[in-house]
Amino acid sequence: MDLGAVMQAVADRIDTIADLRVYAYPPGTVAPPAAVVTYPGTLTYDATYGRGMDRIPDLTVVLLVGKVSDRASRDLITKWVKGSGATSIKTVVESGTYTAFDTVRVTEVTFDIIAVGAVEHLAATFTLDIAGQGA
């Protein structure tokens, strides 16, 4: 798998969700609400015989919503972290048709507070498990 193509494909799919800025790699600055596809911790080669499959078990997408103290931030993050529906990151990512890889599953979402500049933002980090043809 080509890591850059994988990250771009995930970003392009998430970009189908309205009212959300999407970055295919970590940018210098971010203006929430935004989804940022970040680098994985691991890319495993040769998961099957003869370069049959590579796997990225932990590609992450960080969703920055808005000020943690704003009720609107809670309402926004709620629609994006749902397990199903048209605004669900999980549903949108898993329902895509991809050429950069074969399978994707959103395995979890964790919540945090991330400072951007001097403002603390509510954040959700989605973990994706991706597998595709070894090349």
Side-chain angles (χ1 to χ4, degrees):
M1 286 188 299
D2 177 318
L3 178 60
V6 168
M7 293 170 72
Q8 187 65 54
V10 169
D12 290 346
R13 184 67 186 141
I14 295 170
D15 201 28
T16 65
I17 299 173
D19 303 322
L20 184 62
R21 289 175 196 81
V22 181
Y23 302 89
Y25 55 89
T29 60
V30 177
V36 180
V37 179
T38 65
Y39 296 99
T42 305
L43 191 158
T44 304
Y45 301 115
D46 306 329
T48 61
Y49 179 74
R51 297 286 301 125
M53 184 182 77
D54 291 345
R55 184 168 169 235
I56 301 169
D58 58 356
L59 185 74
T60 56
V61 176
V62 178
L63 182 64
L64 292 169
V65 179
K67 286 177 64 176
V68 73
S69 59
D70 288 350
R71 182 178 180 173
S73 295
R74 184 210 55 195
D75 295 344
L76 278 176
I77 206 166
T78 298
K79 71 179 189 174
W80 290 323
V81 301
K82 291 193 306 188
S84 63
T87 61
S88 162
I89 297 283
K90 178 175 176 56
T91 297
V92 168
V93 169
E94 290 180 351
S95 66
T97 301
Y98 301 97
T99 58
F101 52 88
D102 298 324
T103 65
V104 60
R105 188 169 69 92
V106 179
T107 59
E108 70 179 359
V109 61
T110 58
F111 300 91
D112 201 356
I113 298 169
I114 297 177
V116 177
V119 179
E120 290 187 331
H121 288 82
L122 180 58
T125 300
F126 296 85
T127 302
L128 284 59
D129 186 348
I130 296 175
Q133 180 67 38

